[in-house]
Amino acid sequence: LRAHRQMIRLRKMDTILHNAQRQGRISFYMTHHGEEAIHMGSGSALKPQDHVFAQYREAGVLMWRGFTLEQFCNQCFSNDLDLGKGRQMPVHYGSRALNYQTISSPLGTQITQAVGAAYKFKLDAIANPEEEAAISIVYFGDGAASTTDFHSACNFAATLKTPMIFFCRNNGYAISTPVEDQYAGDGIISRAPGYGMAGIRVDGNDLFAVHAAVAEARKLAVEASAPVMIEAMTYRQGHHSTSDDSSRYRDTDEVQTATDVSDPLVRFDRFLKHFGWMDDNAAASIEDEERIAVIRAMEAAETRPGPKLETMFQDVYHEKPPHLIRQEEELKRHLKKYNIPH
């Protein structure tokens, strides 16, 4: 039931913040419509100490870990409560407390970083075998699997035997490039044996299948100190981002058919109702509650001020060097000279 509510929460957040971007209230947004089962299924199978290296369409994993609607909205509006201090574009979330590495726009960079983190966890396990082991999990799309970072990461992970999961969200499109133009082989999972790692393909629209696959992959990664690859087959119902118009490269009937046949929230909702754990009235109440909660969080975030000017010069170095101090002073003098509030 927690997964059901959070899938609804994520979808309501997507709809409302997507509309907010269309209204000019935020600069950018990316929805997760059709991929929510991947988030909740995989997130629920991980341990708190595991580190997540996401691409940009895995907000539900962070939501499952405890990131609040207020925190999501603060980041999208780049206000003074944004953990990233307004330095990132919307949907580039991160949380040190929740072991969720900050999103990076360039495709594939997180894949090699996850291998490095997993190697550190391997060394930690050797040095402290009595402590509960941690792994890293890296999410990426079918398009990112064509980057050099993906191939380098797979080779390093396999040869170094790092405890981690490579999780590919195969949603059919790399922005406008369909999978038919992305690869000629049997998807992404067929590459796993070539790198010498275990792999499994799973129905990415089945919450329970995703959870089971990730749980077993994590177990194998820890026990064998080895990487495991998962390819979750799903479908991106929405546009790639608010900068995209998917009707230019795919037929709307294709989208509607996929939505009617395999929508993960509809499937899970029917499952719960079939066993008497949910009914239409309860589902409608949850939708209303989550919609109101998102709107309140968004309105609160929108009214807050932006980060203070001095935060621009923080966190670059452990101790602020002279040249950065000089730049900060020059900027303040410039703003004062032209009477620009800051």
Side-chain angles (χ1 to χ4, degrees), residues 180-199:
E180 291 80 8
D181 296 335
Q182 189 70 236
Y183 50 73
D186 182 17
I188 307 302
I189 200 64
S190 62
R191 304 174 190 178
Y195 287 112
M197 69 174 77

Side-chain angles (χ1 to χ4, degrees), residues 1 4 269 272-274 276-286:
L1 293 179
H4 180 255
D269 192 61
L272 294 176
K273 290 176 181 177
H274 175 76
W277 297 326
M278 182 65 59
D279 57 43
D280 290 338
N281 290 333
S285 295
I286 293 173

Side-chain angles (χ1 to χ4, degrees), residues 301-327:
E302 190 173 23
T303 58
R304 293 200 62 85
K308 292 184 178 181
L309 181 67
E310 52 265 27
T311 63
M312 184 189 301
F313 300 91
Q314 296 172 356
D315 308 320
V316 181
Y317 299 93
H318 180 64
E319 294 183 3
K320 195 180 299 183
H323 72 274
L324 206 56
I325 295 175
R326 184 175 64 253
Q327 291 175 25

Side-chain angles (χ1 to χ4, degrees), residues 156-301:
F156 271 109
T159 55
L160 295 173
K161 299 189 181 304
T162 57
M164 65 178 296
I165 298 173
F166 289 87
F167 195 109
C168 176
R169 293 177 296 95
N170 191 333
N171 63 17
Y173 289 89
I175 306 183
S176 60
T177 304
V179 291
E180 291 80 8
D181 296 335
Q182 189 70 236
Y183 50 73
D186 182 17
I188 307 302
I189 200 64
S190 62
R191 304 174 190 178
Y195 287 112
M197 69 174 77
I200 183 173
R201 176 177 285 151
V202 65
D203 180 355
N205 299 317
D206 184 333
L207 177 94
F208 300 111
V210 174
H211 177 90
V214 174
E216 286 301 312
R218 187 190 185 281
K219 180 180 178 182
L220 178 60
V222 171
E223 293 179 352
S225 185
V228 182
M229 187 179 295
I230 297 175
E231 181 180 22
M233 309 306 291
T234 184
Y235 188 84
R236 194 194 79 211
Q237 294 178 13
H239 306 296
H240 173 73
S241 73
T242 50
S243 303
D244 174 48
D245 177 7
S246 64
S247 66
R248 300 289 299 273
Y249 53 83
R250 62 180 183 179
D251 195 284
T252 54
D253 289 340
E254 173 190 316
V255 180
Q256 190 59 54
T257 299
T259 302
D260 294 340
V261 172
S262 60
D263 185 286
L265 182 53
V266 173
R267 287 175 62 175
F268 192 35
D269 192 61
R270 288 174 177 170
F271 172 84
L272 294 176
K273 290 176 181 177
H274 175 76
F275 286 96
W277 297 326
M278 182 65 59
D279 57 43
D280 290 338
N281 290 333
S285 295
I286 293 173
E287 289 195 12
D288 285 342
E289 291 169 6
E290 294 303 332
R291 177 181 55 82
I292 293 170
V294 173
I295 291 174
R296 287 176 175 171
M298 181 185 69
E299 291 177 342

